[in-house]
Amino acid sequence: MNGSMASACATSSTLVSAPSACPSKKKTAAARFRRRTVSCRATGGGGRGDIDGLLWLPRRDVMLNGLSGVAAGLAWYPGLADAECTRADKVNENTVQCTDTERVLPCPLVSATAPVVDFTPEAKVTRVRQPVHLLSREYQEKYKEAVEKMKALPESNPLSFAAQAAIHQAYCDSYYSYHRSSSGSAAAARDDPTFDVHFSWIFAPWHRMYIYFYERALGQLIGDDTFALPFWNWDAPAGMVVPPLFSEGSTASNPLYDANRNPANLDALIDLDYLNDQDAEPIPFKGPKDEKYKKLVNKNLSTVYNQQVRKGAESFLGEKYCTDLGSSTSSMGSLERMAHTAVHVWVGKAGPTPATATCSEASGGVPNHSKPGAYSCNNDMGFLGSAGRDPLFYSHHANVDRMWHLWSTRLGGGQGITDTNWLDASFVFYDDVKSPRKVRIKFRDVLDTRDLGYTYDVEADRDLPWLRPKITTLVPHGKDSGAPARSSAAAPVFPLALTKGQVVEVPAVAVPAREAGKEQLLVIDGVEFDPQANNKFDVAINVPADKALQVGPQYKEYAGSFAVVPGSGAGGTRKGKVSLCITDVLYDLDAEDDSTVDVVIVPRTAAKVTINVRPTIMNRN
């Protein structure tokens, strides 16, 4: 894998036929709003490329010309909080340890005494992952058989379905802690922060490892080393519904069925921006393809487009895992906080049964390990601690993994992050159903799916409709376009508690002059939230307050979102941040030369979220 990197938020210039010099960005308003743009580091040549190392290419045209191949790579953003967090923490089986050593589950690795062997790359690709909705009847039955046999294994087998679900629970429900001290004292252990595979750059590679060994176990159980885990193709219009393969029948008749799902959403067109309006009436997937249906499909495609196309390495994969300041530097990438989060919440239960009941075991809830006596009723998929109990989880994450694969290859992301603390991070998993053995696998081992013996169906990915969504503007922009006046609202005082539906205008946020070879990031730091609840807010630029509630990924004013899947959070609040690449947003809005812009925050959920620091815009490598 090529380790050289290009500019953040950029696609490698080796993927396209670029002009020898950068075209002028001074265009008419009509031309300016035709498409998003993507900046690429020039590999050579003269003209503007020699001045700032960047080529400005029409984003939509680049994508429609069919990017292919592994790029030289995108630039890794050095951590935005480098002044606060000097380096990423080393992650391995010595630094990440289970705190509940008396139990076999859900920390199955703790009680095992077998030696650990290092992962060996697979010699060839033998498995091709296909979309669930295109599976043959024979393959569907094979999938059911494999999961049924996995569920029949005793829980003591670390590759049983119960044990596999428990692995995700353990890494997401505060069973593990990060050991910062080597002293081993009780006092030092009490100061160790809980560890979670979400909220940082650990998310994508850990989940790739996790479902890799799950996939291998399924194949071993049915004696088929070519069996590949099907993916839920929710990014294509034909796959924007819970696959019938998972929803038909009952727990007794279908091993892929799970009773803990939201029945109102099972046959509905999925909303990949679901947390914006959970109370909206679901649109039947098999209903009339009217304007309302088409708008949601376009919004879904726009969500995936924004998630995939507008991102450099850390904006896409997440920022460094660092415990120097507790969890205050946590920052998810768009791969985690956008479609991935919406799908989890969409599938999980809407609340207790009946709806008027208090969430408890009696009303169908699952216990929260880190907060004794507390329960979650958004299980299974809607709560991180129980998500792995739903077989749909694994096909959902196969598609999340595919999104990473497409970003790395077709969209030119390449290796992505080059920090050795990321590349050498390792975890231990079990392999081989008949004779389970522990395998240590590093992030550098999973960067290319071919080393794991699998790839994705090329025919299914030949056409990616989310590369060409219809993205428009909410209001006119530019000096000669009749644009509305900029905000005259008083600057809000931080810390600021968000309230659902009450728009927050932050006027006149300074935009520093763009530095050569760098991208502009909008950073909202000091976000304090309840990780056990649904949390989401959208961020937009230069939108009047009376239009802000309409903001979404289908509009060019949209800068991004902050959203999480409910989890345990060790029983308290979590602090994080969101970093949004806005270079192309400023360009689209004719604001790339402005000294200030108005930042608009749109709270979408009722859970308590406090923003402690005024948003800032900065240049970053």
Side-chain angles (χ1 to χ4, degrees):
M1 189 70 66
N2 194 326
S4 64
M5 314 299 287
S7 174
C9 301
T11 305
S12 169
S13 58
T14 62
L15 295 176
V16 296
S17 298
S20 60
C22 294
S24 171
K25 292 187 288 180
K26 291 299 180 183
K27 300 181 179 181
T28 65
R32 184 177 297 279
F33 298 136
R34 280 204 300 264
R35 57 185 69 89
R36 289 279 188 190
T37 57
V38 56
S39 56
C40 304
R41 181 178 295 278
T43 56
R48 178 76 176 269
D50 284 341
I51 297 174
D52 63 7
L54 294 172
L55 286 174
W56 280 89
L57 301 174
R59 168 166 291 168
R60 194 69 57 82
D61 289 350
V62 169
M63 297 308 166
L64 291 178
N65 284 338
L67 303 183
S68 60
V70 178
L74 297 182
W76 161 62
Y77 282 143
L80 184 61
D82 274 346
E84 305 167 344
C85 177
T86 56
R87 67 180 186 279
D89 287 311
K90 296 182 184 297
V91 173
N92 53 52
E93 69 265 30
N94 296 317
T95 59
V96 178
Q97 297 185 9
C98 189
T99 59
D100 196 2
T101 57
E102 300 302 315
R103 297 179 58 186
V104 174
L105 291 175
C107 293
L109 300 178
V110 173
S111 60
T113 57
V116 180
V117 299
D118 289 322
F119 170 78
T120 301
E122 297 200 24
K124 60 181 180 179
V125 173
T126 59
R127 304 183 302 282
V128 179
R129 294 180 179 176
Q130 305 171 60
V132 172
H133 71 280
L134 295 180
L135 294 179
S136 66
R137 175 58 63 180
E138 178 185 4
Y139 210 101
Q140 291 179 35
E141 293 305 316
K142 184 183 294 188
Y143 192 9
K144 288 181 179 179
E145 178 190 1
V147 174
E148 185 172 34
K149 287 185 174 181
M150 180 178 275
K151 287 186 172 183
L153 291 174
E155 289 189 8
S156 58
N157 187 319
L159 288 158
S160 67
F161 189 83
Q164 290 295 295
I167 290 174
H168 193 266
Q169 177 185 357
Y171 279 108
C172 308
D173 201 7
S174 303
Y175 281 87
Y176 282 89
S177 63
Y178 186 85
H179 287 237
R180 290 186 292 195
S181 171
S182 59
S183 68
S185 68
R190 282 195 299 270
D191 292 334
D192 288 337
T194 57
F195 178 83
D196 197 307
V197 294
H198 300 83
F199 310 111
S200 74
W201 64 13
I202 292 172
F203 171 77
W206 185 89
H207 282 83
R208 175 170 284 181
M209 296 170 172
Y210 177 39
I211 64 172
Y212 164 73
F213 288 105
Y214 176 85
E215 176 182 68
R216 281 178 54 84
L218 291 178
Q220 292 162 4
L221 285 164
I222 58 176
D224 184 355
D225 61 3
T226 68
F227 176 81
L229 182 65
F231 61 90
W232 176 11
N233 196 190
W234 36 252
D235 60 299
M240 291 180 180
V241 66
V242 173
L245 180 62
F246 291 86
S247 60
E248 293 176 345
S250 64
T251 304
S253 64
N254 182 1
L256 301 177
Y257 182 90
D258 185 75
N260 291 322
R261 296 177 185 152
N262 187 340
N265 292 339
L266 292 183
D267 298 318
L269 178 66
I270 196 168
D271 184 351
L272 296 181
D273 199 31
Y274 181 48
L275 285 172
N276 270 28
D277 188 4
Q278 288 182 269
D279 298 324
E281 187 71 23
I283 300 173
F285 180 73
K286 293 184 177 180
K289 305 300 189 288
D290 55 15
E291 193 62 26
K292 187 177 180 182
Y293 186 101
K294 292 176 182 178
K295 282 184 177 181
L296 181 51
V297 169
N298 182 64
K299 187 180 182 184
N300 287 340
L301 298 177
S302 300
T303 296
V304 180
Y305 176 87
N306 276 277
Q307 169 186 295
Q308 297 289 123
V309 176
R310 299 174 60 184
K311 301 295 172 277
E314 286 197 15
S315 288
F316 182 71
L317 295 170
E319 295 187 7
K320 64 179 64 174
Y321 176 77
C322 179
T323 61
D324 280 0
L325 297 174
S327 59
S328 62
T329 56
S330 297
S331 183
M332 297 173 285
S334 60
L335 180 64
E336 179 179 357
R337 56 182 162 77
M338 295 191 71
H340 158 261
T341 291
V343 173
H344 268 280
V345 179
W346 174 265
V347 175
K349 291 193 309 181
T353 306
T356 55
T358 299
C359 185
S360 65
E361 185 175 4
S363 60
V366 291
N368 187 321
H369 167 253
S370 63
K371 191 175 181 180
Y375 288 81
S376 171
C377 283
N378 297 121
N379 51 312
D380 282 331
M381 278 274 282
F383 176 64
L384 291 175
S386 59
R389 301 179 188 182
D390 188 340
L392 185 54
F393 167 89
Y394 303 93
S395 284
H396 166 45
H397 266 276
N399 202 40
V400 174
D401 182 78
R402 172 174 158 266
M403 293 292 103
W404 181 18
H405 172 72
L406 289 171
W407 179 87
S408 298
T409 56
R410 183 136 173 210
L411 300 185
Q415 173 178 314
I417 298 169
T418 59
D419 189 308
T420 55
N421 284 324
W422 185 75
L423 293 170
D424 291 330
S426 66
F427 290 88
V428 175
F429 291 88
Y430 275 103
D431 190 24
D432 193 343
V433 171
K434 291 183 179 179
S435 184
R437 63 192 181 102
K438 295 195 292 185
V439 179
R440 179 187 298 108
I441 186 168
K442 296 182 178 181
F443 286 5
R444 65 170 69 247
D445 295 326
V446 303
L447 300 181
D448 189 333
T449 65
R450 293 173 297 185
D451 291 334
L452 301 173
Y454 75 88
T455 189
Y456 287 92
D457 187 348
V458 175
E459 285 302 314
D461 287 344
R462 190 172 299 280
D463 178 48
L464 299 175
W466 45 263
L467 289 179
R468 51 183 188 278
K470 182 180 180 181
I471 299 179
T472 59
T473 54
L474 266 173
V475 296
H477 296 274
K479 298 178 178 63
D480 302 320
S481 63
R486 294 281 292 276
S487 175
S488 59
V493 177
F494 294 89
L496 176 68
L498 301 185
T499 301
K500 180 180 178 180
Q502 293 185 13
V503 173
V504 176
E505 294 182 272
V506 187
V509 176
V511 180
R514 186 175 172 199
E515 299 176 23
K518 295 186 178 182
E519 293 292 340
Q520 291 152 307
L521 265 76
L522 170 60
V523 180
I524 302 179
D525 209 337
V527 180
E528 189 169 0
F529 62 98
D530 178 1
Q532 301 171 77
N534 289 319
N535 295 276
K536 186 176 189 287
F537 61 81
D538 290 333
V539 183
I541 291 176
N542 289 354
V543 174
D546 62 346
K547 298 285 187 180
L549 291 177
Q550 301 176 45
V551 163
Q554 71 274 37
Y555 294 110
K556 294 186 179 182
E557 293 89 349
Y558 173 82
S561 299
F562 175 89
V564 299
V565 181
S568 70
T573 59
R574 177 181 286 272
K575 289 183 180 179
K577 66 179 178 182
V578 59
S579 302
L580 306 171
C581 179
I582 61 168
T583 303
D584 56 345
V585 180
L586 297 178
Y587 177 73
D588 279 354
L589 304 184
D590 197 14
E592 76 272 24
D593 295 324
D594 291 358
S595 59
T596 66
V597 295
D598 297 335
V599 173
V600 180
I601 299 170
V602 187
R604 299 297 191 181
T605 51
K608 182 179 179 180
V609 177
T610 299
I611 298 178
N612 290 285
V613 181
R614 176 184 168 88
T616 59
I617 296 174
M618 61 183 62
N619 290 294
R620 190 164 73 172
N621 292 330

